């Protein structure tokens, strides 16, 4: 059984897709042990409660895009205390630094709304629309010290239609995310010996 800790800052639709896949038996050998948010009222915490998964708000400190060192230390402690084997980022808006990377080497995964290495960073679907690309997609990847970087685990293409707006394209990308993330986790879990 692989114990996962899900980290998110926002609406948590990927967290929901993962918890539904586990509940429905589409994703096995995996136990959702903890959901952690850096945002006090993030809907992702409510989703954890809905699925009876232990959940916690961890104050991030004063930095905007990463945790303060003491907060990152606390995050490691909380995850280790819960026995988390694999950290799953699901809309977590902070860059993880050395303490987390050292505590979970090759054991942190993320989902990004583009076909990396294309369009790293924020609003990737808007970046794709702005270039006039006909195709974008979704990537699940290992997390390393660089943003939206690290070995690619799974990708899925999403077409960009002629009449797409940022809203319609983002919705189509999120649908693909909700399918791909549980599938990618099944693949990762199969390779982990825990
Ligand atoms: C997703 O689009 C994901 O690719 C990105 O953050 C978003 C999180 O959405 N990293 P949600 O909170 O899972 O709905």
């Amino acid at each position: 059984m692989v114990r996962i800790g899900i980290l998110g800052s926002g609406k948590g639709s990927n967290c929901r897709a993962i918890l539904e896949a586990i509940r429905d038996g589409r994703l096995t050998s995996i136990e959702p042990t903890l959901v952690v948010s850096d945002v006090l009222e993030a809907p992702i915490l409510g989703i954890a409660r809905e699925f009876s998964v232990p959940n916690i708000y961890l104050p991030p400190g004063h930095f905007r895009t990463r945790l303060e060192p003491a907060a990152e230390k606390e995050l490691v402690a909380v995850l280790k205390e819960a026995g988390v084997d694999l950290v799953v980022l699901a809309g977590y808006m902070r860059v993880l630094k050395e303490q987390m990377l050292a505590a979970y080497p090759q054991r942190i995964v993320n989902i990004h709304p583009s076909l990396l290495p294309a369009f790293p960073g924020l609003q990737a679907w808007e970046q794709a629309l702005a270039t006039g690309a006909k195709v974008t997609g979704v990537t699940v990847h290992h997390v390393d010290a660089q943003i939206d970087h690290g070995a690619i685990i799974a990708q899925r293409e999403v077409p960009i239609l002629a009449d797409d707006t940022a809203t319609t394209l983002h919705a189509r990308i999120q649908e693909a995310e909700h399918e791909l993330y549980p599938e990618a986790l099944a693949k990762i879990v199969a390779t982990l010996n825990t």
Side-chain angles (χ1 to χ4, degrees):
M1 200 56 113
V2 172
R3 282 161 298 202
I4 61 166
I6 302 175
L7 272 53
S9 309
K11 76 176 192 280
S13 67
N14 280 284
C15 177
R16 178 183 292 283
I18 292 163
L19 295 179
E20 282 178 357
I22 295 168
R23 182 195 63 197
D24 299 347
R26 285 177 283 121
L27 185 51
T28 56
S29 306
I30 197 163
E31 184 183 319
T33 306
L34 188 64
V35 171
V36 182
S37 185
D38 59 320
V39 176
L40 181 58
E41 300 200 345
I44 193 170
L45 292 173
I47 291 170
R49 284 191 286 275
E50 197 183 315
F51 285 80
S52 304
V53 177
N55 56 90
I56 180 171
Y57 159 65
L58 272 190
H62 296 300
F63 299 136
R64 201 171 49 85
T65 58
R66 66 185 178 99
L67 297 169
E68 270 187 21
E72 188 160 319
K73 186 175 182 195
E74 177 70 7
L75 176 61
V76 170
V78 161
L79 292 168
K80 292 288 179 185
E81 173 72 25
V84 167
D85 305 305
L86 176 71
V87 177
V88 175
L89 305 186
Y92 191 64
M93 298 305 287
R94 290 176 189 271
V95 181
L96 295 175
K97 298 290 183 182
E98 191 48 35
Q99 294 187 79
M100 273 295 290
L101 296 176
Y104 285 98
Q106 292 299 306
R107 297 285 180 106
I108 308 175
V109 296
N110 182 43
I111 189 160
H112 182 78
S114 77
L115 294 175
L116 290 173
F119 312 129
L122 297 175
Q123 320 300 89
W125 59 95
E126 289 188 5
Q127 297 183 49
L129 264 185
T131 62
K134 298 283 179 262
V135 174
T136 184
V138 175
T139 302
V140 176
H141 64 98
H142 286 285
V143 170
D144 66 13
Q146 296 180 53
I147 295 173
D148 299 328
H149 190 262
I152 290 171
I153 297 158
Q155 290 187 307
R156 177 140 318 157
E157 288 188 355
V158 174
I160 300 178
L161 306 182
D163 59 353
D164 261 336
T165 62
T167 307
T168 58
L169 179 57
H170 188 211
R172 192 175 312 112
I173 286 174
Q174 285 233 286
E175 274 179 37
E177 289 186 331
H178 301 159
E179 286 177 18
L180 189 67
Y181 219 171
E183 287 176 24
L185 286 175
K187 192 168 147 184
I188 298 159
V189 163
T191 68
L192 290 179
N193 274 330
T194 47

